[in-house]
Amino acid sequence: MSDGSPRRGEAGFTLRCAVAADAAGISALFHHSFTATFGHIYPPEELAGFLAGCSEARFRGEIDSPDFAVMLGEADGALMGYCALGPQDLGIQPGGRWWVLRQLYLEEEAKGTGLGQALLERAIEESRARGMDDLYLTVWVENHRARRFYERRGFVEVGQYAFKVGNIVDDDRILRLGL
């Protein structure tokens, strides 16, 4: 990644690049945050199957892959959030070089602290450093808070995406930021 050194945030958090040893913590944070935010939408068996695919091994593979970038936000050594960038099939054919902000998740107590914004800025910085022309992401149509967050940074809607959780298909929107 462009600069793997830790950075201190205004709200007392530190940003750094993930290493393989962080995979268990990232997986646990994802499971907790996704369930807290979206768990009420899905039947338990569909949610469990989806979360099983978001394992420690999967996150370790992404951390170790040169095609991905995973950045962490910590406070007093505790993982408070992370973002993951990399390839993903969105069903569109954009031109140029592009990447997807695959995930940006925070612990509940980290929301509103500026950590989400700091991780997003770091993701944009990393995308530019790797020569990307565009950064894409998907957001569920009912996640108005997240959509406002991304739109304030300049992301615009460019399409629809079918996000699958087991046999459930959610209506997501694809957002794009020109870099």
Side-chain angles (χ1 to χ4, degrees):
M1 282 184 239
S2 58
D3 180 5
S5 61
R7 298 181 193 179
R8 195 80 167 146
E10 293 176 16
F13 49 80
T14 302
L15 301 180
R16 68 175 176 85
C17 298
V19 296
D22 295 315
I26 294 167
S27 179
L29 189 152
F30 174 78
H31 283 228
H32 176 259
S33 184
F34 189 89
T35 301
T37 305
F38 304 112
H40 66 283
I41 300 169
Y42 307 108
E45 63 278 1
E46 301 293 346
L47 179 62
F50 173 76
L51 292 175
C54 301
S55 65
E56 177 181 344
R58 178 188 143 196
F59 284 106
R60 188 176 308 107
E62 290 180 5
I63 291 166
D64 290 341
S65 172
D67 295 330
F68 291 84
V70 181
M71 280 113 11
L72 308 181
E74 298 173 315
D76 298 322
L79 179 60
M80 299 304 292
Y82 79 96
C83 68
L85 297 145
Q88 182 172 331
D89 182 7
L90 297 177
I92 59 173
Q93 298 299 320
R97 295 192 61 202
W98 56 282
W99 228 0
V100 177
L101 177 60
R102 297 167 55 92
Q103 298 155 344
L104 194 161
Y105 284 94
L106 305 175
E107 291 289 3
E108 194 61 35
E109 62 268 27
K111 293 178 180 175
T113 65
L115 178 56
Q117 182 66 35
L119 284 168
L120 179 59
E121 291 301 323
R122 186 80 185 262
I124 292 167
E125 178 183 297
E126 183 66 23
S127 298
R128 286 183 176 136
R130 294 210 191 183
M132 300 300 166
D133 299 310
D134 297 298
L135 181 60
Y136 289 84
L137 60 86
T138 67
V139 63
W140 181 46
V141 294
E142 297 297 323
N143 193 346
H144 304 293
R145 179 179 183 178
R147 179 146 182 170
R148 285 190 305 271
F149 171 76
Y150 294 120
E151 287 175 341
R152 278 194 304 271
R153 185 51 180 86
F155 283 85
V156 295
E157 183 177 329
V158 296
Q160 291 181 277
Y161 179 71
F163 183 82
K164 296 181 181 177
V165 175
N167 293 313
I168 308 298
V169 180
D170 288 334
D171 185 13
D172 279 21
R173 294 296 183 254
I174 301 169
L175 304 182
R176 175 191 159 276
L177 177 69
L179 302 173

